[in-house]
Amino acid sequence: IVVSSPDATGNVFIPKFVEYKGMKYPIISISDRAFNDNKIESLTFAKDSEVRTFETLSFLFTSIKKLQIPPSLTNLQDNWYYNIKDLEEIEVSPENKNFRDYNNQYLLGKSDENSESFNVLHLATFNITEAQIPSDVQIIKTNSFFKHDQISSVIFPENSKLRIIERKSFSSSKNIQKLVLPSSVENIDSSNFDG
């Protein structure tokens, strides 16, 4: 498990395993605060990576421009990306069956792992000015647009399937001037308008 990387900067590569005293140990998780307050250009993984989990607060206060999601990743714990900064590109391995990127701007996942539908929006990049949410998205996860100061409008298409906007999804995104919601929405947590 990657537990701490205080000196990690620039282009950071996570190998498949670490070797210690002649033994190979596969890396399977990015731990709580593993990259705390780092400044990273890109975070990439070995093609045969075995990383399965990003734990809560994995990237707390981390500036990261490009985030790659390896094919093995299956579990994103709540708030794994809380207070991440400067993210401009999300790239998901085409071999990953649980997540995908949408125009390299949104990280999408599934509410049901047996479904074919990527209906959960986990995270958006910070360089979006007009957030046009994909129509299949039913759930906007907590903090997914937190402190996204470049966004001026958030638009859901008429055929949107949106049902739930979780806690603080748009909190502290202080420049939003326009919000267009679909008729399908059922629950908007009031904390979305904090800050």
Side-chain angles (χ1 to χ4, degrees):
I1 298 172
V2 179
V3 293
S4 181
S5 306
D7 299 323
T9 59
N11 297 307
V12 177
F13 176 74
I14 307 293
K16 179 179 180 178
F17 59 84
V18 291
E19 195 164 345
Y20 179 70
K21 294 187 176 180
M23 296 287 291
K24 292 181 178 178
Y25 297 91
I27 299 172
I28 60 168
S29 184
I30 306 297
S31 181
D32 171 28
R33 300 172 196 259
F35 295 98
N36 187 22
D37 209 20
N38 294 76
K39 188 165 185 169
I40 297 172
E41 284 296 314
S42 67
L43 182 69
T44 58
F45 296 82
K47 289 184 179 179
D48 55 353
S49 171
E50 294 187 31
V51 170
R52 297 190 293 270
T53 303
F54 289 173
E55 296 181 15
T56 300
L57 305 179
S58 293
F59 302 100
L60 184 65
F61 300 118
T62 298
S63 170
I64 181 169
K65 297 287 181 71
K66 178 181 177 180
L67 175 64
Q68 185 184 72
I69 303 296
S72 53
L73 192 73
T74 59
N75 182 23
L76 296 174
Q77 292 185 355
D78 286 343
N79 286 320
W80 62 275
Y81 49 80
Y82 181 68
N83 253 321
I84 198 170
K85 301 181 287 187
D86 304 320
L87 187 65
E88 295 178 355
E89 183 180 355
I90 299 169
E91 179 187 288
V92 179
S93 166
E95 296 170 23
N96 190 303
K97 305 300 181 197
N98 303 292
F99 304 99
R100 76 169 190 183
D101 62 75
Y102 183 86
N103 293 338
N104 295 113
Q105 293 181 316
Y106 302 120
L107 176 60
L108 303 179
K110 299 177 179 181
S111 59
D112 176 359
E113 64 182 30
N114 298 316
S115 172
E116 293 297 314
S117 177
F118 292 89
N119 62 350
V120 178
L121 195 154
H122 287 278
L123 181 62
T125 59
F126 286 80
N127 53 354
I128 299 171
T129 55
E130 182 176 274
Q132 299 208 13
I133 310 300
S135 60
D136 284 344
V137 169
Q138 294 181 18
I139 301 168
I140 305 284
K141 293 296 285 182
T142 297
N143 294 318
S144 51
F145 290 89
F146 180 68
K147 290 187 177 179
H148 282 56
D149 289 340
Q150 291 189 42
I151 292 180
S152 61
S153 63
V154 181
I155 299 172
F156 295 84
E158 285 186 17
N159 64 340
S160 172
K161 298 173 183 170
L162 180 72
R163 293 186 302 106
I164 299 167
I165 301 178
E166 293 184 354
R167 295 181 65 251
K168 297 185 178 281
S169 297
F170 298 100
S171 177
S172 298
S173 293
K174 58 188 176 188
N175 292 316
I176 294 176
Q177 299 173 27
K178 180 178 181 180
L179 176 62
V180 178
L181 294 168
S183 59
S184 59
V185 70
E186 298 169 3
N187 188 337
I188 303 173
D189 190 282
S190 61
S191 65
N192 277 293
F193 306 105
D194 289 355

